[in-house]
Amino acid sequence: MSNSPFDDADLASTGTAPVFPTVSPSVAPEGSAAGDARIGDSRNLDSILRIPVLIQVVLGSATMPVANLMKLGRGAIVPLDHRVGEPVDVTVNGRVVARGEIVVVEEDNSRFGVSLTEIVGPADAGQNG
């Protein structure tokens, strides 16, 4: 069973509307062809806002030879390229969109979160993939 938002079986079992609902001719805006939906139509915006995206917080990375990788075991420490206190990258679908610092979530002290300190602008976003 897939976790795709386009999986009809999942939609039927959860009772949620499809991600991209069709517009019936009876509700088409005046002056438009039957079935056409306007960009500003709130139903289209709601459909787009429900699309799931993968958000990741990148603490750092490391490069090592395969021989060293094969020697890793329980308790091994892999040093990362980021230092304590440096901002971490927040990515959405693989693209850096913000930077922030790691915090402990107040409601549940056993969980981490990220406090955003910088939103990456379009000029910066082009440099990261």
Side-chain angles (χ1 to χ4, degrees):
M1 173 176 249
S2 79
N3 289 332
S4 169
F6 304 104
D7 190 353
D8 292 333
D10 285 345
L11 295 175
S13 66
T14 61
T16 58
V19 175
F20 298 107
T22 57
V23 177
S24 66
S26 62
V27 294
E30 263 186 49
S32 66
D36 286 348
R38 293 190 324 205
I39 299 277
D41 189 353
S42 66
R43 284 176 294 169
N44 290 337
L45 181 59
D46 289 343
S47 296
I48 292 169
L49 292 176
R50 285 186 276 132
I51 296 172
V53 294
L54 178 63
I55 299 173
Q56 294 178 316
V57 177
V58 181
L59 296 174
S61 61
T63 303
M64 67 175 59
V66 173
N68 291 357
L69 180 66
M70 298 299 292
K71 293 177 189 174
L72 293 177
R74 185 179 183 136
I77 296 175
V78 178
L80 302 176
D81 59 354
H82 278 74
R83 298 194 181 279
V84 173
E86 285 184 356
V88 295
D89 291 336
V90 179
T91 66
V92 175
N93 289 343
R95 182 174 294 260
V96 176
V97 296
R99 292 187 180 83
E101 46 192 45
I102 300 298
V103 296
V104 176
V105 178
E106 290 179 19
E107 298 85 36
D108 182 3
N109 288 336
S110 65
R111 296 182 60 181
F112 292 107
V114 62
S115 174
L116 300 182
T117 58
E118 174 188 0
I119 304 299
V120 176
D124 298 331
Q127 298 172 359
N128 61 59

